[in-house]
């Protein structure tokens, strides 16, 4: 497929890079001092999980996140950075796409009642699936340059 400026593979690379930039923006706008020093991000998530209509979310949060809030804060914040960098550069792209999809699905489940948040996570998850199944790392990527995931 060829369009005026780019072919299909290039447009898929644009989609992958756009998703990476979306993750980088998510990382950039986080108040990292608040997340790491004051625990604001995990406290916010704990409030949502505590009121969640699904018991499995409340239980999972209590078992996984509450015992280690500082570690989870670092994992969430730096996962978003790693996903963004991996997708923009096209390095370990399939791994970044699967990890991003899983993170978006976690966000979807946690924020099941907030439709504004759901739209963003659903769109990012859909882009991740499309990019994964069309192997969007074959153009403009370090994976292609190194011959990874052919």
């Amino acid at each position: 497929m060829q369009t005026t400026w780019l072919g299909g593979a290039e447009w898929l690379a644009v989609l992958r890079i756009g998703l990476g930039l979306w993750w980088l923006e998510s990382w950039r706008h986080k108040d990292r001092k608040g997340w790491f020093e004051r625990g604001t991000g995990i406290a916010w998530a704990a409030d949502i999980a505590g009121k969640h209509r699904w018991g499995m979310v409340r239980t999972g949060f209590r078992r996984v996140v509450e015992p280690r809030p500082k570690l989870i804060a670092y994992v969430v914040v730096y996962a978003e950075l790693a996903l963004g960098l991996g997708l923009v550069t096209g390095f370990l792209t399939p791994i970044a796409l699967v990890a991003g999809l899983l993170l978006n699905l976690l966000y979807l489940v946690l924020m099941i009642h907030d439709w504004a948040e759901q739209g963003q996570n659903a769109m990012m998850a859909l882009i991740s699936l499309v990019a994964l199944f069309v192997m969007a790392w074959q153009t403009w990527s370090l994976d292609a340059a190194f011959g990874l995931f052919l």
Side-chain angles (χ1 to χ4, degrees):
M1 176 172 107
Q2 183 66 35
T3 62
T4 304
W5 300 301
L6 302 173
E10 289 88 7
W11 281 115
L12 294 170
V14 168
L15 186 69
R16 181 199 81 230
I17 293 166
L19 180 61
L21 292 172
W22 202 341
W23 279 114
L24 287 175
E25 175 56 22
S26 182
W27 173 79
R28 186 198 64 79
H29 84 264
K30 280 206 175 17
D31 174 13
R32 286 179 287 286
K33 190 172 186 175
W35 271 72
F36 301 148
E37 294 177 16
R38 297 186 308 276
T40 56
I42 298 302
W44 169 79
D47 183 53
I48 292 169
K51 299 174 190 172
H52 206 282
R53 65 177 103 175
W54 297 344
M56 67 177 191
V57 173
R58 291 188 302 273
T59 302
F61 195 90
R62 275 196 301 271
R63 289 184 182 165
V64 176
V65 180
E66 281 183 7
R68 52 192 78 78
K70 195 166 197 97
L71 172 65
I72 299 298
Y74 277 95
V75 168
V76 168
V77 171
Y78 286 109
E80 290 180 357
L81 174 62
L83 290 169
L85 292 174
L87 292 171
V88 168
T89 63
F91 184 62
L92 302 176
T93 310
I95 296 166
L97 289 168
V98 170
L101 177 62
L102 292 174
L103 192 54
N104 280 125
L105 291 176
L106 278 171
Y107 292 166
L108 274 167
V109 169
L110 181 62
M111 298 298 296
I112 197 74
H113 66 283
D114 184 345
W115 287 105
E117 189 73 21
Q118 292 295 42
Q120 172 178 311
N121 288 303
M123 189 58 63
M124 290 175 81
L126 178 62
I127 294 169
S128 294
L129 275 175
V130 168
L132 186 63
F133 286 116
V134 300
M135 299 175 16
W137 54 87
Q138 295 179 10
T139 301
W140 300 341
S141 72
L142 291 175
D143 291 338
F146 296 143
L148 301 174
F149 309 109
L150 300 175

